[in-house]
Amino acid sequence: MFKTLPGFRAFYPEDCARRNLIFGEWRKTAESFGFLEFDPPVLEQIELFTEKSGEEIRSQLFGFFDKGGREVSLRPEMTPSLARMVGERAGGIRRPVKWFAIGENYRYERQQKGRLRAFFQFNADILGEPSVNADAEVIALLISSLRALGLTSEHFKLRLGDRKLWALFLENEGVPEDKMTAVLSAIDKLEKVSEEAFLEIVGQALGAGESETGRLVSRVREFIKLSDIEEVGKAFDGGVVPRGEIGARLDDWRKLAKLLESLGVGEFVQPDLGIVRGLAYYTGFVFEAFQTVGKGRALAGGGRYDSLVGKFGYQDMPAVGFGMGDVTVADLLELVGLTRSRDTAAQVYVVIGGEQARPDALRLISCLRKSRFRVDYPLKQQNFGKQFAQASAIGARVAVVLGADELAGGYVKVKDLADSSEDKVSIECLEGYLRRKFGL
């Protein structure tokens, strides 16, 4: 017998209903923010991903040579494809670009709770706008997408960090520019490794001795604890970075906080310099949404990446965006009792009273379906009892009975399956009756 491959999922109808409700809320929320949906190819040249993330990502890719001899890979994420698609039309595309996508990605990595080899992700990005107005819009969309599922500030928070502020801090501490990316990547591991391991990782990134590394690590730990903007400013006192440059960045923080308050999501946002995001392409504000119940797992992450489109050889374009996985979001909804399903069950079940009535019943069913009712009926003739039992089993709201007597009289019997009440309704008035009485 065959089994589903490790790290992949088979979605049975009930699973699809739960998944599609999440997707539907994500889609409606993104569209309410004025974002347009795009859909990139699932297969891309492998260089698109190694150019963004480095050669080390190869070990995580479902990569192979196609029949044309091209080295390709199933996409592990959406952002490189987005950058390519926008870059191809950069000369004539209307800005700002506000796009979103919901699609499946693939990473060949070790399975663990909340992480599979095939997973769906909701991505939303704004390209072509360098101001913090774009950062605020993207962050507000991320938070609103989780709120649309019923989640509140008791269930999750968004932690906000800043790669640009970190770069200024490290410059102030004497870290050479060519070591910045490696040191930032090391700092991103602070919460994930032991104190001894962190000291070693920073030392390797810095390429310095124990004393110099220890001094930097001590300063890093002090800096990470700061959450008040005015206190952050004091951390630069007596350094080499011009005060005006630091002041301008702190003004960006103040402006972003005001924008998020105005957008109604301020209560969800916590300044947290411990959020660094290890990927080298981030250039400004970075953020991660974490659940505040259970084990505190990450739900989504993103930030500003102003150099990626240009890195691919296209016209440069500022950008900010996020990605949110379906696995951790679904797990959180289940944990807090908010799991729901998109209602896809038949609303109306047509009970057919004999094969002689079937042609007329099918014509009625066709008319109801054209009017966007969800309708089911027995494919083989059964007695009334079995048909009513089937109507209840599939979750139908109403049973419409059509037999010889009904046909002769030009009416149908409509049975409310919730309370078993029954009415006679003329066939011509059936659609309006179903909408008025049952709200279908």
Side-chain angles (χ1 to χ4, degrees):
M1 295 192 299
F2 296 103
K3 295 183 178 180
T4 303
L5 291 171
F8 289 74
R9 292 171 290 174
F11 289 92
Y12 289 87
E14 59 272 21
D15 304 316
C16 277
R18 287 190 291 269
R19 184 195 70 185
N20 290 343
L21 184 138
I22 294 173
F23 290 0
E25 294 298 339
W26 283 347
R27 184 170 282 109
K28 284 189 292 185
T29 307
E31 290 173 347
S32 76
F33 274 63
F35 281 68
L36 303 176
E37 188 167 9
F38 76 104
D39 188 9
V42 72
L43 195 67
E44 297 271 18
Q45 297 177 63
I46 204 166
E47 289 83 358
L48 187 68
F49 306 119
T50 57
E51 181 67 24
K52 171 186 174 285
S53 302
E55 288 294 322
E56 59 271 17
I57 198 175
R58 284 180 179 271
S59 64
Q60 300 177 23
L61 297 179
F62 282 89
F64 56 94
F65 286 92
D66 68 9
K67 292 182 178 181
R70 293 173 291 264
E71 191 175 13
V72 297
S73 174
L74 295 174
R75 66 183 180 220
E77 58 171 317
M78 290 282 194
T79 307
S81 296
L82 166 69
R84 176 184 57 75
M85 290 174 64
V86 172
E88 287 175 348
R89 298 191 177 182
I93 200 167
R94 184 177 60 83
R95 305 183 192 190
V97 177
K98 297 174 71 174
W99 286 5
F100 79 96
I102 301 171
E104 194 167 25
N105 302 314
Y106 310 88
R107 283 183 180 259
Y108 194 84
E109 57 185 355
R110 186 173 63 85
Q111 299 173 75
Q112 52 186 293
K113 180 69 173 175
R115 179 169 292 185
L116 301 174
R117 290 175 175 175
F119 55 94
F120 286 89
Q121 197 167 55
F122 170 38
N123 285 75
D125 299 78
I126 297 178
L127 296 95
E129 175 52 56
S131 74
V132 295
N133 295 314
D135 299 71
E137 180 79 342
V138 164
I139 291 171
L141 172 56
L142 188 163
I143 293 170
S144 298
S145 300
L146 290 169
R147 294 178 74 180
L149 298 169
L151 297 168
T152 70
S153 58
E154 295 181 357
H155 302 132
F156 76 96
K157 294 290 184 183
L158 184 138
R159 296 163 62 186
L160 179 66
D162 188 354
R163 293 275 291 216
K164 184 176 286 188
L165 194 59
W166 267 108
L168 291 173
F169 174 77
L170 293 178
E171 180 185 350
N172 214 50
E173 296 299 317
V175 176
E177 185 175 352
D178 63 343
K179 301 289 180 64
M180 288 279 189
T181 299
V183 172
L184 281 170
S185 180
I187 293 172
D188 183 55
K189 298 179 175 64
L190 175 62
E191 296 181 356
K192 307 166 188 173
V193 298
S194 67
E195 187 170 341
E196 294 77 12
F198 181 64
L199 192 67
E200 182 180 350
I201 293 170
V202 174
Q204 291 173 352
L206 190 61
E210 185 176 335
S211 176
E212 185 179 349
T213 300
R215 185 196 68 80
L216 178 63
V217 166
S218 177
R219 289 286 290 152
V220 163
R221 291 187 181 279
E222 292 173 4
F223 190 61
I224 271 181
K225 293 177 182 177
L226 301 177
S227 58
D228 180 83
I229 290 300
E230 307 312 321
E231 291 298 319
V232 169
K234 293 177 183 177
F236 291 87
D237 289 347
V240 298
V241 177
R243 294 297 305 177
E245 194 172 348
I246 299 165
R249 191 54 181 169
L250 296 181
D251 283 343
D252 287 339
W253 271 84
R254 298 183 186 99
K255 182 177 181 180
L256 180 58
K258 289 181 180 179
L259 291 168
L260 294 172
E261 284 292 338
S262 298
L263 287 166
V265 297
E267 66 175 305
F268 291 86
V269 181
Q270 299 175 338
D272 188 341
L273 294 175
I275 300 300
V276 180
R277 309 272 304 161
L279 295 174
Y281 75 97
Y282 285 116
T283 59
F285 286 111
V286 288
F287 46 84
E288 293 185 4
F290 286 86
Q291 63 185 62
T292 52
V293 292
K295 295 184 178 180
R297 292 158 59 197
L299 302 170
R304 180 162 284 279
Y305 55 99
D306 286 343
S307 305
L308 185 61
V309 178
K311 185 178 181 181
F312 286 160
Y314 301 106
Q315 178 183 326
D316 214 351
M317 192 179 296
V320 59
F322 70 83
M324 183 188 307
D326 74 306
V327 180
T328 51
V329 170
D331 286 348
L332 175 57
L333 292 174
E334 183 177 0
L335 176 66
V336 300
L338 289 174
T339 298
R340 296 176 292 146
S341 295
R342 179 171 171 267
D343 185 10
T344 57
Q347 301 163 312
V348 179
Y349 193 91
V350 176
V351 175
I352 302 174
E355 282 301 313
Q356 73 280 4
R358 186 172 291 270
D360 291 284
L362 294 180
R363 281 189 281 272
L364 174 62
I365 289 164
S366 179
C367 288
L368 290 173
R369 286 172 171 172
K370 287 177 182 177
S371 297
R372 312 308 295 174
F373 292 95
R374 300 194 300 272
V375 187
D376 201 358
Y377 66 97
L379 296 179
K380 65 179 180 179
Q381 197 55 46
Q382 297 174 316
N383 62 42
F384 283 115
K386 288 185 177 180
Q387 291 188 60
F388 280 116
Q390 176 66 6
S392 298
I394 66 172
R397 179 76 174 84
V398 178
V400 173
V401 181
L402 185 62
D405 291 344
E406 289 79 16
L407 279 172
Y411 66 89
V412 292
K413 291 177 183 176
V414 180
K415 184 175 183 178
D416 184 339
L417 294 172
D419 61 15
S420 297
S421 61
E422 190 173 280
D423 287 323
K424 285 185 179 181
V425 181
S426 68
I427 292 175
E428 292 79 8
C429 298
L430 177 60
E431 179 181 333
Y433 172 85
L434 292 173
R435 295 204 187 281
R436 285 193 307 273
K437 181 166 183 178
F438 298 100
L440 302 182

